[in-house]
Amino acid sequence: MSKSILVTGGAGFIGSHMVRMLDQRGFDVVVYDNLERGNADAVTAGKLVEGDLHDSERLDAVFREHDIQAVMHFAALAYVGESVHEPALYYRNNVSGTQSLLDSMRLNKVNKLVFSSTCATYGEPAILPITEDTPQNPINPYGQSKLMVEQILKDYAQAYGLRSIALRYFNAAGCADDGSIGERHDPETHLLPLILFEALRVQAGGDPAETNLMVFGSDFDTRDGTCIRDYIHVNDLCSAHIAAFERMQKTPDSGAEQFNLGVNRGYTVLEVIDACRQVTGVDFRYNTVARRAGDPPELVADASLAMSRLDWTPVHADIKDSIQHAWQWFSAHPPTA
Ligand code: UDP
């Protein structure tokens, strides 16, 4: 039996791209997903096991039945706004669900984990760009839940020798370049898909003046008054996970590490809109509205540590690649509502 990678949340946006890349690179993959928010048809390779992180019996069975050499742990809830209104859901899924996974890994002697963390653990950083040493002060339960897991991973490294790498994602964007899989969130709250939905609406003959696109705030202390984010192509996130796995193989005793994943470059909301107009060729409009609660003005990574330690380079540093791939996907799979 060849050794497999277990991908939790492999039916979700980033997880499904991870499964595809692992398969392309010759890994055997087992996906574990409760399909509450993921889509079974996004799993294009490997074996899909439907199960919840809290179902220890099912998790144990997966570890017993497959020769798992490492876990890539994506399964989590990831809506900032929802986390504020339903913190219980977030701590239960993201923290206690992860603990259930870790305990099953211990029982079954699986000792390597790549964890999906987030720049939301930094809150509103005082100094930019953000390095791994920037103080972590999350401002919502989502970011807090991810930070708590990072702490658990450090403690498990100390006590049980768990080898882990937490990857703090900045803004994931784009999708597979062949249009095979893409982004499907319900509800969709992310900037890039919402811009492209508006471009699709106008392209289909909708009145540009009746725009659905809202820019949240124009009075931030940034170059054009709108928020700045570091957008990283989902395939660059995924290649960093493989690099993290290889690093854990080479340095099994290095405990818990953390790396930022971004492209070291920020775009304002208006710059993203402009890039989308150029890529799509559609002249859509937007309305400027009030700030969205909890949006930090600027989040830009210093990802140089990941680049050097993981020997990893994002190949889609230009946001237009992400837009082009997402446009291809959404054009073929327009929103239904
Ligand atoms: N944003 C916006 N309109 C939208 C959705 C998002 O202006 O309909 C802004 C949001 O305020 C933030 C940026 O776009 O500054 C990226 O938001 P997104 O939700 O995509 O990611 P986040 O940075 O919140 O994780």
Side-chain angles (χ1 to χ4, degrees):
M1 191 166 29
S2 64
K3 287 191 158 192
S4 303
I5 306 274
L6 178 67
V7 180
T8 73
F13 168 42
I14 304 172
S16 61
H17 286 79
M18 189 72 245
V19 171
R20 180 172 174 272
M21 185 177 286
L22 284 167
D23 179 59
Q24 287 171 339
R25 305 256 182 116
F27 289 89
D28 286 330
V29 183
V30 179
V31 172
Y32 192 82
D33 197 301
N34 65 10
L35 298 181
E36 243 176 52
R37 300 198 179 182
N39 301 291
D41 60 4
V43 181
T44 54
K47 179 183 170 172
L48 170 62
V49 179
E50 188 177 342
D52 196 273
L53 291 174
H54 289 97
D55 188 343
S56 303
E57 274 179 35
R58 182 157 296 194
L59 266 178
D60 286 341
V62 169
F63 284 114
R64 271 199 313 276
E65 287 162 20
H66 302 274
D67 194 5
I68 306 288
Q69 56 181 330
V71 177
M72 294 185 178
H73 178 35
F74 297 88
L77 301 179
Y79 288 110
V80 167
E82 183 184 54
S83 80
V84 174
H85 301 294
E86 295 283 359
L89 209 56
Y90 276 69
Y91 291 118
R92 183 177 147 71
N93 272 276
N94 296 4
V95 182
S96 97
T98 300
Q99 219 193 339
S100 165
L101 171 69
L102 294 178
D103 291 341
S104 192
M105 287 175 65
R106 276 180 68 207
L107 188 71
N108 293 282
K109 305 201 166 17
V110 176
N111 194 37
K112 294 186 180 66
L113 179 94
V114 186
F115 174 60
S116 302
S117 190
T118 169
C119 65
T121 58
Y122 293 111
E124 300 194 14
I127 299 172
L128 291 152
I130 299 169
T131 69
E132 288 76 2
D133 294 332
T134 299
Q136 289 174 289
N137 296 306
I139 55 169
N140 52 60
Y142 167 64
Q144 186 66 50
S145 72
K146 293 286 184 173
L147 181 58
M148 286 166 87
V149 172
E150 286 196 12
Q151 183 59 50
I152 292 172
L153 294 178
K154 289 178 190 166
D155 294 341
Y156 274 47
Q158 274 277 297
Y160 311 127
L162 177 71
R163 178 72 177 101
S164 68
I165 294 184
L167 297 174
R168 297 176 184 153
Y169 309 163
F170 282 65
N171 287 54
C175 56
D177 54 8
D178 63 357
S180 57
I181 52 174
E183 191 166 4
R184 250 182 294 173
H185 294 113
D186 185 18
E188 186 53 78
T189 61
H190 294 104
L191 178 66
L192 220 149
L194 291 175
I195 296 174
L196 296 179
F197 292 175
E198 179 57 22
L200 279 174
R201 193 188 67 80
V202 172
Q203 191 184 50
D207 182 353
E210 289 172 14
T211 182
N212 294 318
L213 181 60
M214 293 180 284
V215 171
F216 297 140
S218 56
D219 56 351
F220 290 95
D221 185 16
T222 61
R223 51 186 173 265
D224 63 18
T226 64
C227 287
I228 296 177
R229 296 288 180 273
D230 183 334
Y231 295 87
I232 175 167
H233 194 288
V234 62
N235 280 344
D236 284 329
L237 286 180
C238 292
S239 66
H241 285 67
I242 294 181
F245 167 70
E246 286 166 351
R247 178 171 169 82
M248 294 194 301
Q249 298 279 79
K250 280 187 236 145
T251 58
D253 300 320
S254 295
E257 292 182 296
Q258 305 79 32
F259 298 112
N260 288 340
L261 294 184
V263 300
N264 302 349
R265 172 170 179 185
Y267 288 85
T268 68
V269 173
L270 296 186
E271 287 165 355
V272 177
I273 288 174
D274 190 48
C276 287
R277 283 196 177 122
Q278 289 178 37
V279 170
T280 64
V282 182
D283 191 16
F284 56 86
R285 298 185 203 162
Y286 60 85
N287 286 321
T288 302
V289 298
R291 292 183 180 195
R292 186 171 67 176
D295 271 338
E298 182 165 357
L299 295 172
V300 176
D302 176 344
S304 51
L305 196 65
M307 292 175 189
S308 63
R309 299 262 166 94
L310 301 178
D311 193 16
W312 163 80
T313 312
V315 297
H316 300 290
D318 188 330
I319 198 173
K320 285 189 184 156
D321 284 1
S322 294
I323 296 170
Q324 181 61 50
H325 298 155
W327 179 239
Q328 170 177 275
W329 166 257
F330 286 126
S331 297
H333 304 87
T336 44

